[in-house]
Amino acid sequence: MTDAGSGSDAAPGSVAPGAGAEGAPDGGSHDDGALAELGYKPELKRTLGNFHTFAAGISYISILTGTFQLFYFGVSHGGPAYWWSWPMVFAGQLMVALCFCELAARYPVAGSIYNWAKQLGGPHVGWLGGWMMLTASMVSLAAVALAYQVTLPQISSWFQFIGNGTGKTDAAANAVLLGAVLITFTTLVNAFGVKLMARINSAGVAIELIAAIVLILLLAAHITRGPAAVTQTFGLGRGESLGYFGAFLTASLASAYVMYGFDTASSLGEESKDPARNAPRAILRALVASFVIGGLILLFALLAVPDLHSEKLSVDGLQYVVLSTLGSTVGQLVLWCVVIAITVCELAVHTAGIRLAFAMARDNNLPASSLLARVSPRFQTPVLPAIIIGLVGVGILLINVNQPQIFSVITSIAIIMIYLAYLLVTLPMLMQRLRGRWTPVPGRFSLGRFGLPVNVLTVLWGLGMSVNLAWPRAAVYNATGPQHWYLRWGAFLFIGVVALGGFAYYWCVQRHRTGVLAAHAADTDGSGTTP
């Protein structure tokens, strides 16, 4: 399948230049060869090592950010038994990650979701996948920024700058303020280059992992009940058409919010050393580590909390568990580590969005592409996308400044859009497998004969969870105030406008301009210029 603007006539899944006929390629030749196959010249400096790549994936997932931000939601809608959504989501996302590992080994390139969708499904699918992922990244930037409000005011009331926290919109308005400060910080760090970002990110991830392990040990030392606690449903779902299963599906949002973003390890492929080997490993290590550590934190929190029926458990969440179980001093130290985790998570989300915008812009697939794709000679990073994505993230917060349901609505929409963007990769990949046109690079990560069944299950999982997360539940989309149909159907309306409106713009305007910009095109004739 020839991809317009890719600079290559190679069929999807064919062996990359530099792969060699006899076996695996060396890292450098394959990585730059894969870029040349896509029509790009190397521009971003390869400075990131193994731990940096792993840290990028795990900081986007961010165990402490996700678990501390939405634990209250899981317990309030599913009771302690919501814990079982954690292994359920892991099993589904592991299949996605395995498919992505094959792609990361085949195409170690910036803006991985966009480029993978383009190579597998053609330029139109690629653009839609990139557009959905880019929009999701900006919504996610706003969603993660809201986590400051869940943690900082519990460390000290000093952080509640707007009101005293008891007013109807105090928390939402204060969340916007704190979130805007965080987004400003990540914008500045990303604008000053990948080295600074990697140092802060790696240090933050190291602190987060150490803090998470210490938290597991401390909670384990305070266990007051047996594991049967995670079978308690508190009678939730009674009287509903699906019973507890319906409540469980609603509560699964809390787990679905954590385990995504592992593809960030591959999105930094053009700035990583030997990414064709290291990115697949980083993807799997980040996901598995998050599952094990996060699962133990949630489990021991439910077994150690003094009162499993306390209303504060479904209001203040894990923050309440930590403070009530470990005491004020130790608890606040843990919460400060959570703040660090939120910060590096936001940094990773912002970084991934920048690489995606850069990847689409150098294909002339965004407005003002030549400016968005420009790499600063001083900082060796795309600066303009960092600023624009940051401004959009703050704008999303400001639009929702007085909305009490800001937390669940923005979070839900961010997750759904990520799942849909993933589907725009895994579904075309399945079609390529069924046509016999997908062949992993020899000597790199491969699912072998398990590729087809894993890919089928991946697509079914993505479709099922997308519908589940977008379902017009009042508990998620219209939790407070009078009921309005447009709020209940907010996910479908917002995503529909983004997808249809965005693609209409692409079809009418941008598709006529698409093609690798000359300044970013690979040297195809060996003369130092691109014909």
Side-chain angles (χ1 to χ4, degrees), residues 191-252:
F192 279 103
V194 70
K195 282 189 176 181
L196 177 61
M197 181 280 298
R199 290 193 188 105
I200 295 174
N201 192 56
S202 297
V205 166
I207 293 172
E208 178 177 7
L209 291 175
I210 293 170
I213 293 171
V214 170
L215 177 59
I216 288 171
L217 296 175
L218 290 173
L219 290 174
H222 289 79
I223 288 178
T224 59
R225 61 185 61 84
V230 294
T231 64
Q232 296 188 37
T233 65
F234 290 169
L236 294 165
R238 188 175 299 156
E240 296 183 12
S241 57
L242 295 178
Y244 179 72
F245 182 64
F248 179 81
L249 290 177
T250 302
S252 67

Side-chain angles (χ1 to χ4, degrees), residues 422-444:
Y422 284 1
L423 267 173
L424 288 168
V425 172
T426 56
L427 184 56
M429 188 180 194
L430 177 59
M431 300 304 296
Q432 294 294 337
R433 287 188 194 277
L434 293 173
R435 294 169 182 167
R437 300 181 63 179
W438 173 254
T439 305
V441 177
R444 299 302 192 209

Side-chain angles (χ1 to χ4, degrees), residues 421-501:
Y422 284 1
L423 267 173
L424 288 168
V425 172
T426 56
L427 184 56
M429 188 180 194
L430 177 59
M431 300 304 296
Q432 294 294 337
R433 287 188 194 277
L434 293 173
R435 294 169 182 167
R437 300 181 63 179
W438 173 254
T439 305
V441 177
R444 299 302 192 209
F445 184 93
S446 173
L447 292 173
R449 66 180 183 274
F450 297 105
L452 181 58
V454 167
N455 206 158
V456 170
L457 292 173
T458 298
V459 171
L460 293 175
W461 161 255
L463 289 170
M465 278 302 287
S466 295
V467 172
N468 173 44
L469 295 170
W471 202 255
R473 299 180 178 92
V476 176
Y477 297 104
N478 203 168
T480 59
Q483 298 296 302
H484 300 289
W485 70 269
Y486 53 85
L487 292 178
R488 291 281 292 270
W489 290 88
F492 287 94
L493 291 173
F494 179 84
I495 296 171
V497 169
V498 169
L500 296 177

